[in-house]
Amino acid sequence: YLFGYRPSDGRKGRMKDPASFEEKFKAVIEEAKKDSRSEVPLHEWDKQGYAYDGKKAPAWNGSDVVDTIERVHCRDLTVEDFVEKYEKRGRPVIIKGIADGWPAMERWTLERLEKEYRNEIFKVGEDDDGYRISIKMKYFMEYLRTNKDDSPLYIFDSKVAKKKGKREEKHHHRITDDFEVPKYFREDLLQYAGKSHRPPYRWFLVGPKRSGTNVHIDPLGTSAWNTLISGRKRWVVFPFATKKSYIKPGAKVLGDGEAITWFSKLIPQTRKPEWPTHRPIEFIQYPGETIFVPGGLWHAVLNIDDTVAITQNYCSSTNFEEVFWKFLKSQRKLAMKAADAMKNDHPSLYAVAQRLIEKREERREQKRKKEGEWEREMVTKKLKLTLKMGREEEEEVEKERVGKKGSEQEEGGSSESSRSGSGSGSDESDE
């Protein structure tokens, strides 16, 4: 106390200087909030009062959830059974026991994460231009403990074991040492796009209570698995036939578009008799459980507690055709490169990829022809218009020329008559 330091409120770790840490913490968090949701003033981050209002608690604490997800233990489920029963049928399922023995189950406590990665940065959002918003773990953990925000900032970092220049980022490398990809999800066909070029596919998550992800479909139609290390997550998964307009009705209904707002306003609607489509699967995920989410299903997640998890999107033989088609539409050259890379390892899938590439090229050619026809039509119309305008201009010029000539002739005639008039007058005077 004499030198401006104080104990860390009973938490283990080094002592903090309130004059530096608290001020820096406040500045860092405020800046991150401004960048991630620039449309929301800082004083309105807790405007709805979800952290204070007991009546709103069921929206995020899971007290009203009727759990309807199927659960199975990994010792009772072979890879072949998983593919036939769940992956091919597009059925979500929770698999228990996968994380037993993972170092992450012991190492990824909030206290150890704060201590081990204290001064390393993690992504907590994106700004209006799509750039990363990152803060140090020590500031995020303080925020996690103290915030009362309706929809808090959320570590959602995809740079796991990804090189930054010539140096591997330390915390990312260590994180990948603490878990392994479950046996059911090891067929990862997007790897053929190359480590440095493939789309983001794996994320390390640390979410404060009330944080989450709004309803969405995973990118490129990929499937996903999510293993929860600590805390509880609330999930909702909609059937394939669900129309987007039912679950994403727009800002007029859902307001700010945050996950907690979506859960509080839309989930009650799905339980009404007049709900116009299939009802979703609702459930709570507990520590050590792994959820499989088939590609193409709308789903949303909300953290009931402070949580730590690892999640990954993947493409297997089962959903390869759909994923590759979307990949081809979004990143054509990279998708074609990936297809060539898998030729020897997966000849049957390579044949599927070539068929899709030919189909895509045919559509591109048809589009080019239509665009060419449209352009030629526009050029023809423009030429006709130009010619028409040219003729009109020529006619106007001709009219002006004829009119000018006529006026000149009139002026000439009047001057001659005046001259003849003046001449006769002089003759009379002479006479």
Side-chain angles (χ1 to χ4, degrees):
Y1 286 99
L2 181 62
F3 296 98
Y5 288 84
R6 64 174 175 79
S8 56
D9 299 330
R11 296 185 296 275
K12 293 182 179 180
R14 75 178 194 178
M15 301 171 72
K16 297 180 293 185
D17 177 4
S20 61
F21 181 87
E22 299 300 340
E23 290 177 4
K24 183 68 173 177
F25 161 72
K26 182 179 179 181
V28 166
I29 296 302
E30 286 184 355
E31 188 68 20
K33 286 182 178 182
K34 289 177 183 178
D35 289 342
S36 64
R37 296 175 65 192
S38 58
E39 76 284 0
V40 181
L42 291 174
H43 66 276
E44 291 187 4
W45 273 65
D46 60 352
K47 180 180 178 180
Q48 302 301 324
Y50 286 103
Y52 312 101
D53 192 343
K55 293 181 180 179
K56 294 183 177 181
W60 60 271
N61 67 10
S63 61
D64 62 343
V65 173
V66 178
D67 200 312
T68 56
I69 189 72
E70 183 179 355
R71 283 177 165 85
V72 61
H73 199 281
C74 62
R75 64 171 173 263
D76 302 320
L77 184 67
T78 64
V79 174
E80 294 75 16
D81 287 342
F82 166 76
V83 172
E84 293 298 324
K85 292 181 179 179
Y86 303 105
E87 193 174 48
K88 287 185 177 180
R89 297 182 183 183
R91 293 171 57 189
V93 63
I94 281 182
I95 306 174
K96 304 176 72 172
I98 283 179
D100 293 351
W102 281 10
M105 296 302 294
E106 293 183 3
R107 295 179 186 171
W108 291 6
T109 64
L110 296 175
E111 293 77 13
R112 291 189 65 171
L113 288 174
E114 180 177 17
K115 182 179 180 180
E116 188 167 358
Y117 306 118
R118 178 179 181 80
N119 288 308
E120 298 183 47
I121 61 172
F122 291 82
K123 179 181 176 181
V124 295
E126 293 181 351
D127 64 15
D128 294 337
D129 297 318
Y131 291 104
R132 285 172 59 101
I133 302 170
S134 300
I135 64 177
K136 290 183 177 180
M137 178 65 83
K138 61 183 177 182
Y139 298 129
F140 181 80
M141 285 300 185
E142 185 72 12
Y143 170 76
L144 178 142
R145 284 188 290 266
T146 60
N147 90 89
K148 300 297 181 182
D149 295 336
D150 296 325
S151 181
L153 297 170
Y154 188 1
I155 286 182
F156 215 103
D157 202 322
S158 65
K159 289 192 174 181
V160 179
K162 189 171 183 179
K163 289 185 178 180
K164 185 177 182 181
K166 296 181 179 179
R167 181 176 62 87
E168 190 89 24
E169 293 186 33
K170 293 188 298 182
H171 68 272
H172 294 150
H173 178 71
R174 292 199 297 269
I175 283 174
T176 57
D177 288 343
D178 293 340
F179 72 95
E180 62 178 356
V181 176
K183 60 183 179 181
Y184 308 105
F185 317 116
R186 289 177 184 166
E187 187 181 27
D188 180 20
L189 298 175
L190 286 181
Q191 66 179 308
Y192 290 100
K195 288 184 178 180
S196 59
H197 298 292
R198 69 179 298 175
Y201 69 103
R202 182 166 52 194
W203 293 267
F204 172 67
L205 317 176
V206 183
K209 58 178 69 71
R210 298 182 304 281
S211 62
T213 52
N214 205 341
V215 65
H216 65 283
I217 292 176
D218 286 330
L220 300 180
T222 52
S223 298
W225 60 268
N226 180 305
T227 299
L228 186 60
I229 305 302
S230 63
R232 295 172 298 161
K233 288 179 178 286
R234 179 179 183 176
W235 287 75
V236 59
V237 181
F238 288 88
F240 284 105
T242 305
K243 293 183 179 180
K244 180 180 178 179
S245 58
Y246 293 151
I247 55 178
K248 297 196 78 171
K252 289 184 179 180
V253 177
L254 297 179
D256 57 16
E258 295 299 307
I260 193 166
T261 307
W262 186 89
F263 271 88
S264 64
K265 292 188 176 182
L266 197 126
I267 291 302
Q269 301 300 318
T270 66
R271 296 169 179 168
K272 293 181 178 180
E274 60 269 23
W275 176 247
T277 186
H278 302 287
R279 302 192 187 283
I281 297 173
E282 293 187 62
F283 59 94
I284 294 175
Q285 182 185 18
Y286 297 94
E289 294 187 334
T290 299
I291 172 67
F292 162 67
V293 182
L297 289 182
W298 290 97
H299 58 282
V301 192
L302 196 65
N303 291 309
I304 297 174
D305 308 311
D306 300 330
T307 63
V308 180
I310 188 75
T311 185
Q312 181 170 322
N313 290 72
Y314 74 100
C315 172
S316 68
S317 300
T318 301
N319 63 346
F320 174 76
E321 185 166 347
E322 181 179 356
V323 172
F324 188 80
W325 176 249
K326 292 184 177 181
F327 191 21
L328 193 61
K329 290 171 68 177
S330 63
Q331 293 178 276
R332 173 174 162 270
K333 291 184 178 180
L334 185 58
M336 294 173 72
K337 178 183 176 182
D340 291 337
M342 68 170 62
K343 182 176 182 179
N344 294 329
D345 295 339
H346 302 278
S348 60
L349 294 179
Y350 173 75
V352 172
Q354 291 304 306
R355 174 172 56 81
L356 294 175
I357 290 172
E358 291 175 3
K359 180 180 177 181
R360 179 62 178 162
E361 292 304 307
E362 288 177 2
R363 291 193 178 185
R364 282 168 57 86
E365 184 62 29
Q366 291 173 1
K367 184 179 180 180
R368 280 195 293 265
K369 286 181 178 179
K370 287 182 179 180
E371 289 176 349
E373 291 173 359
W374 181 82
E375 288 177 0
R376 285 193 294 272
E377 185 179 348
M378 290 298 103
V379 169
T380 303
K381 287 182 178 180
K382 187 175 181 180
L383 181 60
K384 288 180 179 180
L385 182 61
T386 303
L387 292 172
K388 182 179 178 182
M389 292 174 66
R391 285 195 299 270
E392 290 176 352
E393 288 179 1
E394 289 178 0
E395 290 174 358
E396 289 292 330
V397 171
E398 182 65 21
K399 286 180 180 180
E400 289 180 5
R401 188 180 65 80
V402 171
K404 187 176 181 180
K405 186 176 181 180
S407 62
E408 288 177 352
Q409 290 175 352
E410 290 177 1
E411 290 176 0
S414 60
S415 62
E416 288 176 1
S417 60
S418 63
R419 280 198 300 272
S420 61
S422 60
S424 59
S426 61
D427 289 342
E428 290 175 359
S429 60
D430 288 342
E431 291 179 354

